[in-house]
């Protein structure tokens, strides 16, 4: 019989709450307990039935904890990761890995030398559209690849479901480029290999606020990659990534749906057999986590992959 794994959830914000809801549904993940630096977050989680620890150190040290999920602001990741490594516990950490490149490189080296299973929660890693794009590149059905275009647009930032995470709206640790752009830059490197930043133009409204506009031009193994993002204005949010080919093109929208176009035709859905693409992606991501804990070589990105994307993001922000 396959064993179950106990997970300590550090960070009880929007993403942490999502993990609390979805991990038990996977079937082999159980919640040992949760912790957050904010007392109101701890009280809310306790009221919802989550065992809440008084100290995060005790939660990591708990013998029932096999894996530590870290869903806190990026500058705090290092302390929790190092504590988990010292305790010999597996690590599943949110992106971006950090904001200080030297610290993130040191952290990746510490993970590598520890031998402890560790991965970054880049949500497109196990998602069905990512696998389908990779398969299309491998079988040549796209024809000659013309480029990859990423478009991000948000009516407000932070988004409404992140309203309690004020740091996401601040330049020091937040911004849509770190929070969302990271996922799609990872996808570019996943499909084509290491990217090179050719130019970047980000606009900041002033003070401590994060960027409102970003325009990046990159290259991956000779493939042109662009990222254009903005905040503000009427209309629904947009997260879109298009892989252009001469025979057909593929487009992922809202992270988890995929469509294709041929000739001069419209983009048509490809995943009509998937009832809930978002739920499907959550399940596949957690299945991949369990595979990692089982010792299998899977699709979840390691810390080195996260550092590679962080280098691109921080370089773009620093050039502006």
């Amino acid at each position: 019989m396959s064993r179950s794994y106990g997970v300590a959830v550090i960070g009880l914000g929007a993403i942490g709450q999502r993990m609390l809801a979805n991990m038990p549904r996977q079937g082999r993940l159980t919640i040992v307990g949760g912790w957050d630096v904010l007392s109101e977050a701890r009280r809310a989680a306790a009221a919802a039935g989550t065992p809440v620890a008084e100290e995060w150190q005790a939660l990591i040290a708990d013998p029932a904890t096999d894996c530590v999920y870290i869903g806190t602001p990026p500058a705090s990741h290092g302390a929790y990761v190092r504590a988990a490594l010292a305790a010999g516990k597996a690590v599943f950490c949110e992106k971006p890995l950090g904001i200080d490149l030297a610290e993130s490189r040191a952290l990746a080296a510490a993970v590598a030398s520890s031998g402890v299973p560790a991965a970054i929660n880049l949500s497109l890693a196990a998602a069905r559209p990512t696998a389908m794009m990779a398969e299309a590149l491998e079988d040549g059905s796209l024809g000659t690849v013309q480029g990859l275009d990423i478009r991000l647009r948000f009516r407000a930032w932070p988004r409404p479901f992140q309203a309690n995470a004020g740091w996401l709206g601040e330049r020091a640790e937040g911004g849509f480029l770190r929070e969302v752009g990271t996922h799609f830059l990872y996808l570019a490197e996943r499909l084509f290999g290491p990217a090179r930043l050719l130019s970047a133009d980000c606009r900041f409204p002033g003070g401590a606020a994060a960027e409102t506009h970003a325009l990046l031009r990159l290259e991956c193994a000779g493939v042109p990659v662009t990222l254009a993002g903005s905040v503000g204005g009427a209309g629904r949010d947009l997260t879109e990534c298009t892989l252009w080919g001469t025979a057909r093109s593929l487009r992922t929208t809202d992270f988890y749906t995929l469509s294709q176009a041929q000739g001069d035709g419209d983009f048509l859905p490809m995943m009509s057999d998937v009832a809930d693409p978002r739920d499907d992606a959550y399940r596949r991501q957690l299945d991949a986590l369990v595979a990692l804990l089982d010792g299998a070589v899977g699709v979840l990105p390691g810390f080195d992959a996260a550092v590679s994307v962080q280098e691109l993001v921080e370089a773009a922000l620093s050039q502006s």
Side-chain angles (χ1 to χ4, degrees), residues 248-266:
R248 66 185 183 116
S249 298
L250 301 179
R251 172 175 292 167
T252 179
T253 306
D254 295 333
F255 282 94
Y256 305 122
T257 64
L258 192 70
S259 57
Q260 70 171 339
Q262 294 176 293
D264 61 356
D266 293 333

Side-chain angles (χ1 to χ4, degrees), residues 19 62 74 89 100 143 181 185 200 205 224-225 236 300:
M19 290 294 172
D62 192 318
K89 306 299 175 75
D100 182 294
L185 293 175
V225 177
R236 68 185 298 271
L300 292 183

